[in-house]
C-alpha cells in the first residue's frame, strides 16, 4: 500500500519471467475523468477517495477508434472501458520512501489517435528488475485531446502529460523513485510530445533527461488540424465547436474521426491531429525553441530512429506495391510532401540506385520528417548537455517490414516474449540484442550515459543490430560515423537555395500545382 496526494492505493507483488519480486500499481488516477464539465478542458486533480483504492488492473483507456484490419495485424491496442481514463501505472522494485531510484516515464505513440499504457509491449517489469521505477500513462487522444476549437484550449492531451509529470514529481518518492532523477521517454507521437515538453516553460524541472524514439520536436499547421475537425463536423452534421462535439456520443465521435483520417499518413500527409503552437503551453515551434532559442540545453538527450521507419507506413494494406507502380509520380508526390526542390529526390536516386521507388519515397519522407530535424537538434546542442544518437537496424522476421517504425519497442522494454511484440518482430527475436538495447536505456536513466560516444562533429550513431559491432564500418562498439551525412548535405543545400517562382522556372519549387497534382494521384491510386 502506498499513499498518493489523492488517497491510498494498493498494488500487487508480481514474480516471474526473471523479474524477481516487484511491486506493480495499475490504473492510478492522476486527473479527474475528462468528461461532463471537464470535456475538452485542461485536466484537473481527481477527487480524493477514502479508504484504500485497489490498483491491480489497468485503468480505462481514452476513447479512440480501432486500428484498421491491416494495421491491427501488427499492432496491439487494448480497450478498457470506463470514464476514469487519465490514469497511470508504476512498476517498482522497492516501494516506500528512501530508495531514491531513477525513474523512467513512458509516453506512448500512436499518431496521437491510438495507443495506451495497457499495450503489453510497454510492461515495466524488466526496468523494475534492473533497479528503475517505470511509470506509464494515458492521455487524451484524437479530437478529445488535440481538436482545435474556437471555444476550448488547444493541446489538452499534452496538458494531460504535464499533469502526469507533476503527479510524478509529487508522488514518486512514495513508490521508491527519486523526483530529481526523472527521465521521460516516448516513441513516435510520444517522442513528438516530449519535444514539445522540452520546449514548454511550464515543464521545466519536471525531468532531467529525455529520450526521443522515432519522433522529432514539431508543431502542426493549425489549419491542418482545423481541416480534420471540419471533416468530422461535416460527417456528424454539427458545428465545429467543442460544445457541439461534447454532445456527441463517444463511439460516434471515434467513428467519424476514423473516417475523416483515412487518407492521412506520414507518407501521404493530409489532415491529422497534432500539437499546435498555442501561445500558452506551447508558446513557439518546439524545434525552433530547441535549436535556435536554447531551450532545455541542460537536459541530457538520447534520440534516434529505425532504419526502415517507412515500411510500417507502406507495407500494411499494400501501399508499398502501389507506390512502386506509380514510379516518377510517387517521387513527385514525395517532393511535394517534403516541400523540397527537384535536386533532393534526384540526389537520393543517385545515392541509392539499387532502391525501389517505394523505398526511395519512404526514405525521402522519413529523412524530411525525422532524421533531418533530429540531426539539427543534436548539432544545435554541441557544447551543452550531451546528446546520444542511435539507429535500430535489426529487420523483423515478418516479410517486408524490415527495421520498421515501432519495431525497437520490444527490445527497449525487453518484452520480446510477449505475443504483442511478436506481432511486429516475428518469433524468436534475438535476446542478446534486447539485453544490449534495454541496458543502454537503463544506463541512460541511471547516470545519463547509454554507453557510447556522445554526438560531436563526426556524427557518431550507435547501430543496434544482431551483430555485436552493428555491421558496416563501425568502431567495434556498434558506432558508425556520419551514416546519413550525404543525404543531409542534399537537404542543407536545398535549405540554402532561394525560392524559385513559377514565372522563372515553369515548375514551382515549393510544391504547388504540379507536385500537388501528383500527390492527389498518389492518394487515389488503386
Amino acid at each position: 500500500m502506498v499513499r498518493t496526494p489523492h488517497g491510498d492505493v494498493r498494488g500487487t507483488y508480481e514474480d516471474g519471467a526473471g523479474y524477481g519480486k516487484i511491486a506493480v500499481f495499475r490504473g492510478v488516477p492522476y486527473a479527474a475523468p475528462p468528461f461532463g464539465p471537464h470535456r475538452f478542458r485542461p485536466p484537473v486533480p481527481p477527487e480524493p477517495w477514502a479508504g484504500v483504492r485497489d490498483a491491480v488492473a489497468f485503468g480505462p483507456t481514452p476513447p479512440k477508434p480501432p486500428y484498421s484490419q491491416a494495421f491491427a495485424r501488427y499492432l496491439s491496442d487494448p480497450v478498457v472501458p470506463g470514464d476514469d481514463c487519465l490514469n497511470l501505472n508504476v512498476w517498482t522494485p522497492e516501494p516506500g520512501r528512501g530508495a531514491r531510484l531513477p525513474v523512467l516515464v513512458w509516453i506512448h505513440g500512436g499518431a496521437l489517435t491510438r495507443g495506451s499504457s495497457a499495450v503489453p509491449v510497454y510492461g515495466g517489469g524488466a526496468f523494475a528488475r534492473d533497479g528503475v521505477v517505470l511509470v506509464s500513462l494515458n492521455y487524451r487522444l484524437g479530437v478529445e485531446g488535440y481538436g482545435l476549437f474556437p471555444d476550448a484550449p488547444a493541446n489538452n492531451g499534452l496538458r494531460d502529460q504535464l499533469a502526469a509529470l507533476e503527479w510524478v514529481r509529487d508522488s514518486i518518492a512514495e513508490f521508491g523513485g527519486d523526483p530529481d532523477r526523472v527521465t521521460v521517454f516516448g516513441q513516435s507521437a510520444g517522442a513528438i510530445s516530449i519535444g514539445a515538453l522540452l520546449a514548454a516553460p511550464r515543464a521545466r524541472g519536471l525531468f532531467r533527461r529525455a529520450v526521443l524514439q522515432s519522433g522529432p520536436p514539431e508543431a502542426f499547421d493549425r489549419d491542418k488540424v482545423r481541416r480534420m475537425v471540419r471533416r468530422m463536423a461535416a460527417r456528424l452534421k454539427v458545428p465545429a465547436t467543442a460544445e457541439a462535439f461534447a454532445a456527441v456520443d463517444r463511439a460516434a465521435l471515434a467513428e467519424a474521426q476514423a473516417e475523416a483520417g483515412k487518407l492521412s499518413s506520414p507518407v501521404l500527409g493530409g489532415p491529422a491531429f497534432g500539437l499546435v503552437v498555442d501561445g500558452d503551453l506551447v508558446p513557439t515551434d518546439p524545434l525552433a525553441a530547441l535549436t535556435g532559442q536554447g531551450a532545455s540545453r541542460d537536459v541530457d538527450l538520447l534520440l534516434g530512429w529505425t532504419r526502415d521507419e517507412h515500411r510500417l507506413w507502406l507495407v500494411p494494406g499494400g501501399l508499398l506495391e502501389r507506390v512502386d507502380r506509380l514510379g516518377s509520380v510517387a517521387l513527385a508526390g514525395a517532393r511535394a510532401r517534403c516541400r523540397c526542390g527537384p535536386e533532393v529526390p534526384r540526389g537520393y536516386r543517385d545515392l541509392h540506385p539499387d532502391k525501389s521507388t517505394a523505398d526511395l519515397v519512404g526514405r525521402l519522407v522519413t529523412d524530411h520528417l525525422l532524421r533531418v530535424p533530429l540531426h539539427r537538434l543534436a548539432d544545435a546542442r554541441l557544447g551543452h548537455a550531451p546528446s546520444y544518437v542511435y539507429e535500430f537496424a535489426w529487420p523483423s522476421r515478418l516479410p517486408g517490414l524490415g527495421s520498421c517504425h515501432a519495431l525497437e519497442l520490444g527490445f527497449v522494454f525487453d518484452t520480446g516474449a510477449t505475443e504483442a511484440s511478436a506481432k511486429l518482430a516475428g518469433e524468436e527475436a534475438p535476446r542478446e540484442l534486447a539485453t544490449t538495447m534495454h541496458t543502454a536505456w537503463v544506463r541512460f536513466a541511471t547516470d545519463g550515459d547509454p554507453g557510447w560516444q556522445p554526438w560531436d562533429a563526426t556524427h557518431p550513431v550507435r547501430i543496434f543490430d544482431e551483430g555485436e559491432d552493428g555491421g558496416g564500418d563501425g568502431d567495434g562498439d556498434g558506432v558508425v560515423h556520419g551514416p546519413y551525412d550525404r543525404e543531409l548535405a542534399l537537404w542543407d543545400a536545398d535549405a540554402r537555395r532561394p525560392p524559385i517562382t513559377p514565372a522563372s522556372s515553369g515548375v514551382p519549387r515549393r510544391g504547388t500545382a504540379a507536385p500537388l497534382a501528383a500527390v492527389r494521384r498518389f492518394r487515389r491510386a488503386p
Side-chain angles (χ1 to χ4, degrees), residues 327-387:
S328 60
V329 172
L331 281 172
R335 176 191 159 197
R337 175 78 178 93
C338 300
R339 298 195 296 269
C340 64
E343 297 83 0
V344 177
R346 191 179 302 136
Y348 272 67
R349 176 67 78 185
D350 292 341
L351 289 173
H352 306 287
D354 59 326
K355 296 290 185 184
S356 67
T357 297
D359 277 326
L360 282 176
V361 166
R363 187 158 184 167
L364 187 74
V365 174
T366 297
D367 287 356
H368 166 68
L369 295 176
L370 187 57
R371 292 192 184 102
V372 170
L374 288 181
H375 273 81
R376 289 175 178 165
L377 173 59
D379 280 342
R381 291 166 47 86
L382 290 174
H384 301 279
S387 303

Side-chain angles (χ1 to χ4, degrees), residues 254-464:
E255 183 178 347
Q257 179 179 304
E259 287 296 318
K262 267 187 173 179
L263 291 180
S264 298
S265 82
V267 175
L268 299 179
F273 289 112
L275 295 156
V276 298
V277 174
D278 57 18
D280 175 23
L281 182 57
V282 186
T284 187
D285 178 82
L287 186 61
L290 294 171
T291 59
Q293 299 167 23
S296 290
R297 283 184 176 169
D298 57 338
V299 176
D300 303 334
L301 289 191
L302 172 59
L303 54 156
W305 48 78
T306 69
R307 181 167 291 175
D308 306 313
E309 298 273 0
H310 63 280
R311 285 191 160 256
L312 186 63
W313 308 328
L314 294 179
V315 169
L319 191 56
L320 193 80
E321 292 78 10
R322 290 163 57 191
V323 173
D324 270 338
R325 286 201 303 271
L326 285 168
S328 60
V329 172
L331 281 172
R335 176 191 159 197
R337 175 78 178 93
C338 300
R339 298 195 296 269
C340 64
E343 297 83 0
V344 177
R346 191 179 302 136
Y348 272 67
R349 176 67 78 185
D350 292 341
L351 289 173
H352 306 287
D354 59 326
K355 296 290 185 184
S356 67
T357 297
D359 277 326
L360 282 176
V361 166
R363 187 158 184 167
L364 187 74
V365 174
T366 297
D367 287 356
H368 166 68
L369 295 176
L370 187 57
R371 292 192 184 102
V372 170
L374 288 181
H375 273 81
R376 289 175 178 165
L377 173 59
D379 280 342
R381 291 166 47 86
L382 290 174
H384 301 279
S387 303
Y388 299 88
V389 178
Y390 74 90
E391 174 175 279
F392 183 80
W394 179 80
S396 169
R397 301 205 189 282
L398 299 181
L401 289 179
S403 307
C404 69
H405 191 67
L407 182 60
E408 87 283 10
L409 293 173
F411 295 82
V412 169
F413 281 87
D414 196 8
T415 51
T418 63
E419 182 181 344
S421 182
K423 287 176 70 172
L424 196 59
E427 298 296 333
E428 298 182 359
R431 287 286 302 115
E432 297 82 2
L433 181 59
T435 298
T436 299
M437 197 167 193
H438 173 77
T439 299
W441 265 241
V442 170
R443 288 184 55 170
F444 184 72
T446 302
D447 59 24
D449 181 358
W452 66 89
Q453 178 184 351
W455 190 258
D456 60 22
T458 69
H459 294 178
V461 178
R462 171 63 160 99
I463 310 296
F464 287 100

Side-chain angles (χ1 to χ4, degrees), residues 145-170:
Y146 297 94
L148 198 53
F149 299 103
D151 55 339
N155 299 320
N156 280 323
L158 187 69
R159 297 173 194 275
D160 295 341
Q161 296 168 18
L162 183 68
L165 286 169
E166 291 170 342
W167 183 97
V168 170
R169 176 196 62 199
D170 298 338

